[in-house]
């Protein structure tokens, strides 16, 4: 089973070649070829960290690298700037979209509790929102990047725009076909918020102003259950690949 683990080398957040390839929807050999073709642009310690010898043997026994460094004597780990160079080389819409989210929710994400704060209502036609006092645990995800990419594809299919914004009170807001996601959240939390807002869009698209509805709490609970189901179904789907 392949996980999106939070990895650090020399105190710097990094991604393995496998993680980067899966995130950008390409193959590891493409990432390796990008590096070989542009060696003069990739700077050791800035764009990547190379590990071998005794340090490699030490990392291989570290819990955070369990399963990541099998049968390799040397490995390259890509920093935020290295991920940027690879995105430039691939130059696909998906690579750029995923890179933006990796920056905000992986490389620069603050360590927070994996639990949602008091939930909010979503308004399809305006941005006014009201908090709901219940808390919802984020569903477990073995492959959050896979789940996230499929949710993005669903949003794209419906013409829904996702943007990162400096929201103060809420983690996400749905307004028509626009979804705003608060910056500086755990990546898994962002995945949940996207699923939650998509659930509201599909289930309650014709319910008008949800804030003023007497069924406001019920609508939120329906969206929460639907988001949980979407995430679990997608996560189970990826397990069938291995």
């Amino acid at each position: 089973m392949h996980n999106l683990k939070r990895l650090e080398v020399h105190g710097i957040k990094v991604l393995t070649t496998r993680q980067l390839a899966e995130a950008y929807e390409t193959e590891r050999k493409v990432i390796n070829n990008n590096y070989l073709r542009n060696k003069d642009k990739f700077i050791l310690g800035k764009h990547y960290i190379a590990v071998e010898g005794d340090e490699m043997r030490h990392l291989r026994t570290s819990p955070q690298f369990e399963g990541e460094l099998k049968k390799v004597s040397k490995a390259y780990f890509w920093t935020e700037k290295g991920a940027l160079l690879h995105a430039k080389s691939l130059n696909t819409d998906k690579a750029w979209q995923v890179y933006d989210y990796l920056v905000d929710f992986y490389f620069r994400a603050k360590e927070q509790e994996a639990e949602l704060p008091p939930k909010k209502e979503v308004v399809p036609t305006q941005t006014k929102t009201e908090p709901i006092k219940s808390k919802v645990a984020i569903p477990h995800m073995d492959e959050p990047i896979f789940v996230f990419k499929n949710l993005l594809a669903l949003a794209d299919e419906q013409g829904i725009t996702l943007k990162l914004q400096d929201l103060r009170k809420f983690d996400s807001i749905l307004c028509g076909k626009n979804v705003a996601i608060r910056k500086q959240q755990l990546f898994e939390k962002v995945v949940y918020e996207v699923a939650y807002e998509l659930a509201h869009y599909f289930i309650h698209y014709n319910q008008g102003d949800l804030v003023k509805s007497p069924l406001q709490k019920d609508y939120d609970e329906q969206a929460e259950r639907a988001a949980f189901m979407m995430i679990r179904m997608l996560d189970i789907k990826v397990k069938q690949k291995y």
Side-chain angles (χ1 to χ4, degrees):
M1 183 60 59
H2 297 278
N3 300 328
L4 177 64
K5 300 177 181 177
R6 299 185 185 280
L7 306 178
E8 287 192 9
V9 177
H10 302 170
I12 300 173
K13 284 187 178 179
V14 295
L15 289 171
T16 65
T17 298
R18 177 193 65 79
Q19 288 177 312
L20 197 58
E22 290 184 359
Y24 287 166
E25 293 189 346
T26 188
E27 298 178 2
R28 277 178 279 190
K29 65 180 181 181
V30 174
I31 299 297
N32 290 330
N33 288 339
N34 283 343
Y35 166 72
L36 294 175
R37 287 196 301 266
N38 300 281
K39 267 190 173 182
D40 58 323
K41 297 180 181 178
F42 284 90
I43 301 174
L44 180 63
K46 179 179 180 181
H47 299 105
Y48 70 97
I49 298 173
V51 175
E52 58 184 329
D54 291 339
E55 186 176 12
M56 171 61 75
R57 285 188 286 274
H58 173 73
L59 286 184
R60 194 180 286 119
T61 60
S62 173
Q64 71 166 326
F65 288 95
E66 183 179 359
E68 291 287 347
L69 304 173
K70 295 180 179 179
K71 299 180 181 180
V72 294
S73 59
K74 182 176 183 179
Y76 291 165
F77 298 94
W78 308 104
T79 66
E80 177 184 331
K81 293 183 182 297
L84 172 60
L85 286 189
H86 281 295
K88 287 181 177 179
S89 180
L90 292 171
N91 198 28
T92 63
D93 291 340
K94 181 61 66 176
W96 283 116
Q97 192 173 32
V98 172
Y99 170 74
D100 285 341
Y101 278 87
L102 285 176
V103 169
D104 284 286
F105 306 118
Y106 182 82
F107 289 113
R108 302 183 190 179
K110 296 179 180 179
E111 295 300 327
Q112 303 175 20
E113 293 183 359
E115 184 175 305
L116 296 178
K119 199 56 194 172
K120 74 287 177 182
E121 182 54 79
V122 183
V123 185
T125 57
Q126 61 186 49
T127 57
K128 179 182 178 182
T129 57
E130 295 291 339
I132 299 298
K133 298 302 182 182
S134 61
K135 290 187 177 182
V136 180
I138 296 176
H140 171 74
M141 287 172 262
D142 288 313
E143 290 285 352
I145 281 187
F146 176 88
V147 175
F148 180 68
K149 288 190 293 186
N150 279 272
L151 291 175
L152 285 183
L154 179 60
D156 289 341
E157 182 182 74
Q158 298 298 316
I160 298 173
T161 301
L162 302 175
K163 292 185 178 180
L164 301 176
Q165 294 188 6
D166 293 316
L167 303 179
R168 294 185 178 181
K169 294 183 179 180
F170 309 112
D171 298 311
S172 60
I173 296 175
L174 170 67
C175 181
K177 287 200 171 187
N178 297 298
V179 173
I181 306 293
R182 183 170 63 81
K183 295 181 179 180
Q184 299 300 324
Q185 301 185 84
L186 287 175
F187 183 72
E188 289 82 356
K189 190 174 180 183
V190 171
V191 176
Y192 174 84
E193 290 298 325
V194 173
Y196 174 84
E197 301 298 4
L198 287 177
H200 262 301
Y201 175 82
F202 280 102
I203 300 173
H204 306 127
Y205 68 95
N206 62 347
Q207 299 301 317
D209 190 340
L210 302 186
V211 168
K212 297 179 181 179
S213 171
L215 299 176
Q216 172 187 8
K217 184 176 180 180
D218 292 334
Y219 288 157
D220 272 354
E221 290 177 352
Q222 290 170 5
E224 289 164 1
R225 290 196 296 270
F228 186 95
M229 181 184 69
M230 281 193 290
I231 290 172
R232 294 306 304 137
M233 287 180 64
L234 289 170
D235 206 48
I236 290 172
K237 179 180 177 181
V238 74
K239 291 179 183 179
Q240 298 173 348
K241 295 166 54 180
Y242 304 107

